[in-house]
Amino acid sequence: MIEINHVTKSFSTSKKAVDNLNLTIPAGKIFGFLGPNGAGKSTTIKMMTGILPIDEGSITINGFDITKHPIEAKKIFGYVPDSPDLFLRLKGIEYLNFIGDVYDVPSDVRQEKIAYLTKTFGIYDALNDTIQTYSHGMRQKIIVSGVLLHEPKVWILDEPLTGLDPKSSYSLKEMMREHAQKGYTVFFSTHVLEVVEQLCDEVAIINEGTLLFHGTLEEMRTKFTSDGSLEQMFLELTNHE
Amino acid sequence: MNKTFLLSKMILTLSFSELFKDTRAKRNAFFVFLGFLPLIVIWLYILSSIISSSIYILAPSDNEPIILGILFVLTAIITVLFSIPSVISSYYFADDMENYLTMPFHPYQLVIGKSLAPLLITYMVNLAILAPTMIFYGMATGSGILYVCLSIFIFILFPIIPFIVAALIVMLGMRYVNIAKNKDRSKVYAGIFSLVFIIGFNIIIRLNTNSNQMSQEIGSWLNQQEQLVWQVTKLFPSAYVATNTLTSSTWWMMILFLILFIVLTALALYLFITIGQRMYFKGMLGINKGGKGKKKQHIEKRIGSNPTLVTLTKKELKTIVRTPNFFMNCIVQSLFLPVFFVAMIAFDDSIGSIASFIQSSNEVNVLLTTFSITVFMLGINLTATSSISRDGQWWFTNLYIPIEPKTVIYSKVITAWIIEGISIILLGGIFLYLGVPTIPLLMWGILVTMVSWISGTLGTIIDLHYPALNWTDEQEIFKMRYIPLLSFLIQIFVFGAAILAIWRLPYFTGVWQTFLAMSVVLVIAIYLGNHLLKKAIQKHYFHML
Ligand SMILES: Nc1ncnc2c1ncn2[C@@H]1O[C@H](COP(=O)(O)OP(=O)(O)O)[C@@H](O)[C@H]1O
Ligand SMILES: [Mg+2]
């Protein structure tokens, strides 16, 4: 479970990137964080993961405050950043081994899972190449494999489906579902309404740093038809892609 | 501890992997090393003669340990000064930090991991100063096996404490820079701060020493100042203990001092880890990302058209000014030498002697001297040797825009030339102030303008041959590459040979003849450079990615 309490963040004096955000993300569900480009999704996620300091408010992950108990909190979640251009000079296999070491994955588990995951994603044959040579989608996949390797209880993914081909996109969605069924937390952001409709149990909509809506898919649909400003938003989100 | 090791290994792998990527890179690194060999030999020769002649003077009064004491103090100071900039960039400006922030690492683990690369550089510096000093001293005083073992220990341990001092200064300082909350601007402030710190330190040292006396026999000076030197050494406890470890009269005293030294180092490490744990993230998180909003500008006003070459040059210049790492390495560092020069002469009583030297020597010598200083200064400028590499993975945009490769490349040469021009103007002002007469000064101006064009061309050619486009952090373009060294060596050897020839050959006695001869040489060099540049463009431009 993730709790976001009255969180505010601004990069400039005039405008708040995230404004007094309150959100509880329950375990056992897939939670979608929907909003157009520049809405404040990545900023929120970076505060959740300890990359950005929080101006006001607090965030806890399974009860651990990310600011006060960073190590405990960080052991619990796995994070897929919006741009997968990390560790470019490592080979795929070196990266996965590094993650295995950092999160104490036993080597027999590692053997088995690396093969399974990378074969599922179709990057097994590229493991001996440097990540530099990977395409955008392959980079995304190696990072997702790293997260899956240490089986964190909480997944935090920033626009994970952008740039994936249909097959990989399908497998990732399946994995997210499985994870939620095990009673774990899955939190991901997207700017595409269809993704939310296919995948989510619960959804929160954010625009210009403010939370516009939080509820189930059903509730979202009724709200869209009744609320004029949300309908505008709806159009914006469907026009993408 | 295990995790710390893991992280350190990863950071080291990532920061050194570019250096020896393939056999070609290895071979080139080897040739650069060969080029430096003569310089190394000269340095070792000077050092050994200073040490042996000092020992000769000091031995009768049993004062020779002073030599080690003073070199330990110097090494400590140099280590602190050298470490500050590299620590700042490794701790706070490497963009890879974001990758590690979401992983469950303690701040102290990150601090240790991030320290290893700059610490390794420190050992390189010590390899040039500390190691030969201890060896020459040992040979001159006929020391035994114990001395050898102890000096190995000292060599390994000695850099740690000064490095920690530098790291602590940086971490404490960063807490306050962090107020700015703007990553880009803080980088520039921090970089300028470290330069100011180095120059300020230099001034303080100079104010307290009398250089006239210093330049007399070093040995006899030391002999007179024995008390003072020992006091200075005691201000640096690690230098004091290290000296005693190597020069105590009995073996058990030596061992005792070594143990003391180990204890000191352990204490420093403990302090470092504790403070790192508490302070590192404070500076880090504040500095991570930023950019206070700017007020809205009139976009329409900023739309206009320019010839492509001008546009491209402007783009290059803007990129350099706005990217902190580029700004620091290309502009601030090129201003460093002239400013350093000013600081050295302004706070010294030698200004009178420089002026009288200029008046007494003939114009040819003045021209050649000012010229040599400038060649050296331009040689260490990093703008040209990063021309291509600065584009990084965005290089491909040059390939699909409808602009002649020549135009793109020349915009880069012009950029280097303009930036080098800034330091030339500054240096010209200094020469004017020092009383260099008008005619040689004008000649100097014309000649070095050509030199700076050649240096821009040469740097760009070399960077075209060995570009580093696959960086993930801008710092990699400047650190851990031998390309700037290569360019520096070529320029020093070529221009050095030309200067030497003109100076020694009997035909060039008047300043006009000298000027003409050098102009001819430079015009030929410019022609050759342009020819080579065009060839390099043909060969490499479309084959780099
Ligand atoms: N490092 C930064 N500096 C300044 N402004 C930023 C920074 N990061 C994000 N912003 C601003 O914050 C707002 C939200 O951005 P972001 O969270 O990245 O949006 P998205 O919902 O597309 O992920 C945008 O207006 C963006 O311009
Ligand atoms: Mg985003």
Side-chain angles (χ1 to χ4, degrees):
Chain A
M1 188 166 83
I2 307 171
E3 278 177 285
I4 303 175
N5 304 312
H6 300 284
V7 164
T8 297
K9 174 85 199 171
S10 50
F11 294 105
S12 67
T13 40
S14 55
K15 196 179 136 236
K16 286 176 176 156
V18 174
D19 193 0
N20 195 17
L21 184 68
N22 267 306
L23 210 53
T24 301
I25 295 129
K29 285 187 179 156
I30 300 187
F31 194 106
F33 196 39
L34 180 64
N37 293 333
K41 304 182 296 291
S42 297
T43 307
T44 308
I45 289 180
K46 284 184 174 167
M47 287 190 283
M48 291 163 73
T49 50
I51 297 175
L52 279 177
I54 302 169
D55 284 359
E56 281 166 43
S58 65
I59 296 177
T60 61
I61 296 181
N62 283 5
F64 290 110
D65 188 305
I66 185 70
T67 325
K68 293 192 189 114
H69 303 283
I71 302 289
E72 289 85 349
K74 286 173 186 177
K75 279 186 182 152
I76 296 170
F77 68 76
Y79 165 59
V80 179
D82 50 352
S83 116
D85 306 331
L86 323 169
F87 297 100
L88 295 181
R89 265 178 272 107
L90 288 189
K91 291 175 178 161
I93 188 70
E94 291 170 339
Y95 172 70
L96 293 179
N97 248 322
F98 175 66
I99 294 294
D101 288 339
V102 169
Y103 292 92
D104 296 312
V105 182
S107 30
D108 47 337
V109 180
R110 221 183 276 188
Q111 290 286 339
E112 194 182 311
K113 287 192 94 175
I114 289 180
Y116 168 72
L117 289 168
T118 52
K119 276 177 185 158
T120 314
F121 282 132
I123 49 170
Y124 182 76
D125 293 328
L127 281 182
N128 259 327
D129 302 331
T130 54
I131 298 181
Q132 190 95 57
T133 62
Y134 289 19
S135 72
H136 177 86
M138 289 163 78
R139 290 179 186 180
Q140 193 95 344
K141 288 175 192 171
I142 193 88
I143 301 230
V144 172
S145 309
V147 166
L148 294 173
L149 182 63
H150 67 97
E151 270 193 87
K153 296 208 168 85
V154 175
W155 284 7
I156 301 173
L157 311 99
D158 197 354
E159 313 243 0
L161 300 169
T162 315
L164 288 191
D165 53 42
K167 187 166 157 273
S168 311
S169 169
Y170 175 79
S171 351
L172 182 59
K173 285 179 201 160
E174 281 302 300
M175 287 174 181
M176 287 160 79
R177 284 202 187 93
E178 273 172 35
H179 203 68
Q181 269 157 21
K182 285 185 197 158
Y184 296 151
T185 310
V186 179
F187 179 87
F188 77 99
S189 75
T190 177
H191 60 274
V192 187
L193 185 63
E194 286 78 14
V195 173
V196 167
E197 292 193 312
Q198 291 161 8
L199 201 60
C200 290
D201 304 309
E202 252 184 63
V203 63
I205 301 180
I206 184 176
N207 193 23
E208 298 191 341
T210 344
L211 192 68
L212 298 182
F213 168 82
H214 172 202
T216 62
L217 277 185
E218 296 302 310
E219 289 165 352
M220 183 181 78
R221 290 195 190 100
T222 37
K223 198 86 193 277
F224 267 150
T225 42
S226 63
D227 188 324
S229 66
L230 265 183
E231 192 174 2
Q232 186 56 40
M233 179 103 263
F234 175 80
L235 286 175
E236 219 175 292
L237 293 169
T238 37
N239 278 342
H240 283 294
E241 288 197 349
Chain B
M1 214 57 230
N2 204 351
K3 291 274 160 63
T4 314
F5 177 72
L6 189 72
L7 182 70
S8 310
K9 207 177 76 182
M10 178 58 50
I11 295 175
L12 275 187
T13 319
L14 288 177
S15 51
F16 285 97
S17 65
E18 279 291 290
L19 195 54
F20 298 112
K21 211 171 32 190
D22 47 28
T23 46
R24 195 178 72 162
K26 276 183 201 146
R27 202 188 58 207
N28 290 324
F30 178 71
F31 282 124
V32 169
F33 172 75
L34 274 190
F36 267 94
L37 220 53
L39 302 182
I40 296 174
V41 170
I42 293 173
W43 161 244
L44 290 181
Y45 176 74
I46 295 174
L47 194 65
S48 82
S49 54
I50 290 179
I51 291 176
S52 55
S53 66
S54 301
I55 287 181
Y56 181 72
I57 297 174
L58 292 170
S61 50
D62 281 335
N63 265 338
E64 72 270 21
I66 285 183
I67 299 168
L68 280 184
I70 221 155
L71 270 144
F72 279 126
V73 171
L74 277 180
T75 314
I77 293 174
I78 291 175
T79 309
V80 172
L81 295 184
F82 264 82
S83 303
I84 285 181
S86 56
V87 164
I88 289 181
S89 71
S90 170
Y91 280 16
Y92 295 103
F93 302 150
D95 290 326
D96 63 345
M97 269 318 292
E98 209 168 297
N99 307 347
Y100 304 111
L101 276 181
T102 63
M103 294 176 182
F105 288 120
H106 288 284
Y108 82 87
Q109 293 173 316
L110 289 167
V111 160
I112 292 177
K114 285 261 139 191
S115 297
L116 287 190
L119 186 61
L120 272 182
I121 297 174
T122 304
Y123 276 101
M124 306 280 190
V125 175
N126 282 338
L127 205 59
I129 307 172
L130 202 55
T133 308
M134 291 195 295
I135 294 173
F136 292 142
Y137 184 88
M139 288 186 334
T141 53
S143 305
I145 186 83
L146 183 63
Y147 176 90
V148 175
C149 298
L150 290 175
S151 47
I152 292 172
F153 267 110
I154 296 287
F155 177 78
I156 295 171
L157 293 177
F158 192 79
I160 296 176
I161 292 180
F163 180 83
I164 288 176
V165 170
L168 293 181
I169 291 176
V170 168
M171 278 194 282
L172 291 171
M174 265 312 174
R175 283 202 54 179
Y176 300 102
V177 178
N178 150 19
I179 296 164
K181 258 204 167 181
N182 177 322
K183 191 181 187 187
D184 279 5
R185 225 171 295 155
S186 331
K187 282 186 183 181
V188 174
Y189 288 152
I192 291 177
F193 164 78
S194 65
L195 290 188
V196 169
F197 184 83
I198 293 173
I199 291 173
F201 198 88
N202 185 282
I203 292 170
I204 290 168
I205 295 282
R206 293 198 146 255
L207 285 178
N208 287 325
T209 52
N210 189 330
S211 62
N212 276 340
Q213 261 180 33
M214 185 84 155
S215 55
Q216 289 165 12
E217 280 280 358
I218 295 180
S220 54
W221 180 76
L222 285 176
N223 227 350
Q224 287 159 20
Q225 308 285 323
E226 193 218 337
Q227 282 309 104
L228 179 82
V229 173
W230 279 117
Q231 268 165 17
V232 171
T233 315
K234 276 179 194 149
L235 280 181
F236 294 77
S238 67
Y240 181 73
V241 177
T243 313
N244 278 307
T245 308
L246 291 180
T247 60
S248 285
S249 47
T250 51
W251 65 267
W252 55 268
M253 285 275 279
M254 287 172 137
I255 301 286
L256 222 61
F257 271 111
L258 179 70
I259 293 171
L260 188 59
F261 195 74
I262 294 173
V263 171
L264 269 182
T265 309
L267 273 179
L269 272 174
Y270 174 76
L271 198 70
F272 171 66
I273 289 175
T274 329
I275 294 186
Q277 173 75 11
R278 299 175 71 195
M279 308 278 285
Y280 185 35
F281 274 11
K282 290 219 170 76
M284 183 67 218
L285 286 182
I287 212 165
N288 196 295
K289 290 284 142 129
K292 281 274 179 212
K294 294 220 176 66
K295 43 187 181 311
K296 288 209 173 67
Q297 283 161 332
H298 294 285
I299 303 290
E300 297 82 6
K301 272 196 191 160
R302 318 200 59 187
I303 301 175
S305 74
N306 273 317
T308 18
L309 187 64
V310 176
T311 312
L312 286 172
T313 311
K314 272 187 176 169
K315 177 213 120 200
E316 288 290 324
L317 285 170
K318 278 182 188 156
T319 316
I320 290 178
V321 172
R322 288 184 193 160
T323 316
N325 268 324
F326 296 169
F327 183 74
M328 287 309 303
N329 285 292
C330 298
I331 298 187
V332 176
Q333 280 196 15
S334 78
L335 297 183
F336 180 61
L337 201 68
V339 174
F340 197 74
F341 214 53
V342 172
M344 266 168 56
I345 51 184
F347 290 87
D348 212 64
D349 47 4
S350 54
I351 181 141
S353 56
I354 294 179
S356 65
F357 162 79
I358 290 170
Q359 261 132 46
S360 65
S361 60
N362 68 23
E363 292 185 329
V364 177
N365 282 346
V366 171
L367 183 60
L368 287 177
T369 313
T370 50
F371 182 81
S372 316
I373 293 172
T374 319
V375 166
F376 182 80
M377 182 187 78
L378 296 179
I380 55 178
N381 192 298
L382 294 168
T383 317
T385 45
S386 61
S387 288
I388 311 295
S389 305
R390 281 197 308 265
D391 280 352
Q393 284 166 323
W394 295 100
W395 173 254
F396 73 89
T397 54
N398 292 322
L399 302 183
Y400 72 73
I401 51 172
I403 297 178
E404 286 279 320
K406 221 173 58 187
T407 318
V408 173
I409 297 297
Y410 272 99
S411 78
K412 290 169 186 295
V413 177
I414 293 173
T415 304
W417 185 67
I418 291 175
I419 287 178
E420 294 186 339
I422 302 173
S423 42
I424 289 181
I425 290 172
L426 206 64
L427 206 57
I430 297 170
F431 289 151
L432 189 68
Y433 175 71
L434 285 177
V436 174
T438 323
I439 300 287
L441 193 65
L442 283 179
M443 290 173 172
W444 166 85
I446 295 169
L447 292 178
V448 295
T449 307
M450 292 197 270
V451 171
S452 114
W453 181 264
I454 297 167
S455 138
T457 321
L458 179 71
T460 307
I461 293 174
I462 297 178
D463 203 32
L464 262 169
H465 274 87
Y466 308 108
L469 295 174
N470 287 331
W471 44 264
T472 44
D473 170 8
E474 297 126 8
Q475 201 62 34
E476 290 164 30
I477 305 169
F478 305 102
K479 299 266 155 69
M480 315 289 169
R481 265 180 104 212
Y482 54 85
I483 298 302
L485 291 181
L486 184 63
S487 166
F488 175 72
L489 276 181
I490 294 178
Q491 289 178 55
I492 293 297
F493 281 124
V494 169
F495 289 119
I499 292 167
L500 213 63
I502 290 172
W503 189 40
R504 278 288 160 211
L505 288 178
Y507 318 112
F508 309 108
T509 44
V511 70
W512 283 102
Q513 284 136 307
T514 312
F515 173 68
L516 275 178
M518 288 172 82
S519 303
V520 170
V521 172
L522 290 176
V523 167
I524 295 174
I526 287 179
Y527 175 79
L528 269 178
N530 281 349
H531 179 72
L532 287 175
L533 182 61
K534 280 180 189 143
K535 282 208 131 163
I537 293 173
Q538 266 174 18
K539 199 164 158 221
H540 298 286
Y541 193 85
F542 285 103
H543 308 282
M544 277 195 276
L545 286 177

